[in-house]
Amino acid sequence: MPTTRPAPQLARPRPLLTQNRRLKPFGIYAWTLPAWAGRLPDGRTYNTCPSAGICRKVCYARHGTYTWPVVLAKHQANLAFVLDDLPGWEKAMTAELAAAKFRHRHVRIHDAGDFFSDDYLLAWVRVMRARPEMRFYCYTKEIERFRRLVEPAAPANFSWVYSYGGTQDAALDPARDRVADVFPTPQAIQEAGHSSQQSCDLLAVFGPRRVGLPANRIPHFQKLLGQRSFRTWQAEADAKRSHRRRPPGASWPGTAARLSRAPRGLDSGGSRPARPT
């Protein structure tokens, strides 16, 4: 009988936290997953950014060094550890953070990837509570998940910023939420009334509440973004999607309200729906 070859196993990554050239000068450590969607060596598919919208088209973590085999393998090993043994990963992360070098440092959760499940997010919350001497922060597009699981009782040592460019953008309220948007130029950040975090990533969570990030200087990404911000681009994409999903013959938004205000005697049933201008 033919034998089946066992799927390749990913070694447990050590260490779990790393530093890159942008974060290291500020003593920031990072935890990274592979960005968005892909396939592990054992054949399993994944999506670490379930609420990604237009951002996936110009994601810096799907370009350059992040795609190098050795780098991608490390990030996929991180994800496999979480998927295969979440309690073991939580124990290992908590233990690693006990080292003296991490005391009073900052950890950026997800240099790439996002909180892709409730269980994974709650595991991080427990890690934070177990290490109160640390500070943790993140960018996230998982707004609904954070509303349920984090906002009601957030760990005191956890800060976050909601970033535009995802499928849940409509749930954001800049008057209430700390928000980050990506702009084509530094000048566009200033003109929009946002504050840049370019000098230090910690400004995203400790600076002014409206955060501006400069777009990546990758030519084909710049061409896709054009002169828009992520928020504007996502709103355009949402409007197009809404238009495509409207059933044939359906009224445009606001039509019913306008017809209800029509003068008496008007045969609203025979009126043509007014299209928005």
Side-chain angles (χ1 to χ4, degrees), residues 111-134:
D111 188 38
D114 207 337
F115 298 94
F116 57 83
S117 73
D118 286 5
D119 287 344
Y120 174 55
L121 173 55
L122 290 173
W124 263 115
V125 169
R126 290 190 294 270
V127 170
M128 296 172 201
R129 296 194 190 282
R131 291 286 174 253
E133 72 280 8
M134 302 284 305

Side-chain angles (χ1 to χ4, degrees), residues 220-237:
H220 63 282
F221 284 3
Q222 290 178 306
K223 184 176 181 180
L224 284 171
L225 180 61
Q227 297 304 306
R228 304 169 290 191
S229 73
F230 272 22
R231 182 183 184 181
T232 302
W233 189 6
Q234 185 65 51
E236 292 174 2

Side-chain angles (χ1 to χ4, degrees), residues 185-206:
T185 64
Q187 181 181 355
I189 295 175
Q190 185 176 10
E191 291 174 350
H194 285 56
S195 179
S196 175
Q197 51 65 269
Q198 193 167 17
S199 61
C200 178
D201 197 50
L202 292 176
L203 292 174
V205 288
F206 298 122

Side-chain angles (χ1 to χ4, degrees), residues 38-247:
R39 187 182 299 274
L40 295 175
D42 61 12
R44 285 180 292 175
T45 58
Y46 60 81
N47 185 345
T48 63
C49 303
S51 295
I54 54 88
C55 64
R56 69 185 186 274
K57 299 180 180 181
V58 290
C59 178
Y60 69 94
R62 300 180 65 210
H63 179 84
T65 58
Y66 286 84
T67 64
W68 292 0
V70 66
V71 175
L72 181 59
K74 171 64 165 67
H75 298 168
Q76 290 187 334
N78 287 348
L79 177 60
F81 193 1
V82 171
L83 294 176
D84 296 338
D85 184 11
L86 185 58
W89 170 87
E90 181 182 332
K91 182 178 179 180
M93 179 64 75
T94 303
E96 184 169 316
L97 287 170
K101 70 176 183 178
F102 293 117
R103 190 171 181 83
H104 303 305
R105 297 289 190 176
H106 290 84
V107 172
R108 174 171 169 174
I109 306 174
H110 302 138
D111 188 38
D114 207 337
F115 298 94
F116 57 83
S117 73
D118 286 5
D119 287 344
Y120 174 55
L121 173 55
L122 290 173
W124 263 115
V125 169
R126 290 190 294 270
V127 170
M128 296 172 201
R129 296 194 190 282
R131 291 286 174 253
E133 72 280 8
M134 302 284 305
R135 291 296 310 232
F136 300 83
Y137 76 102
C138 72
Y139 298 77
T140 184
K141 292 179 172 62
E142 293 301 321
I143 302 159
E144 184 275 335
R145 185 166 282 132
F146 266 60
R147 298 272 199 245
R148 287 189 293 109
L149 302 179
V150 176
E151 289 189 8
N157 57 340
F158 184 30
S159 302
W160 65 91
V161 55
Y162 292 123
S163 53
Y164 283 109
T167 58
Q168 299 184 37
D169 276 13
L172 289 174
D173 178 4
R176 166 194 172 187
D177 301 313
R178 175 177 288 275
V179 294
D181 200 357
V182 175
F183 294 87
T185 64
Q187 181 181 355
I189 295 175
Q190 185 176 10
E191 291 174 350
H194 285 56
S195 179
S196 175
Q197 51 65 269
Q198 193 167 17
S199 61
C200 178
D201 197 50
L202 292 176
L203 292 174
V205 288
F206 298 122
R209 295 177 61 85
R210 297 176 65 187
V211 182
L213 285 73
N216 297 296
R217 314 310 293 175
I218 301 171
H220 63 282
F221 284 3
Q222 290 178 306
K223 184 176 181 180
L224 284 171
L225 180 61
Q227 297 304 306
R228 304 169 290 191
S229 73
F230 272 22
R231 182 183 184 181
T232 302
W233 189 6
Q234 185 65 51
E236 292 174 2
D238 291 344
K240 291 179 180 178
R241 187 178 302 107
S242 177
H243 178 78
R244 288 196 300 267
R245 290 178 178 175
R246 184 172 292 111

Side-chain angles (χ1 to χ4, degrees), residues 251 254-263 266-274:
S251 301
T255 299
R258 285 192 292 271
L259 291 177
S260 67
R261 295 193 297 268
L266 177 65
D267 181 8
S268 60
S271 301
R272 295 183 61 187

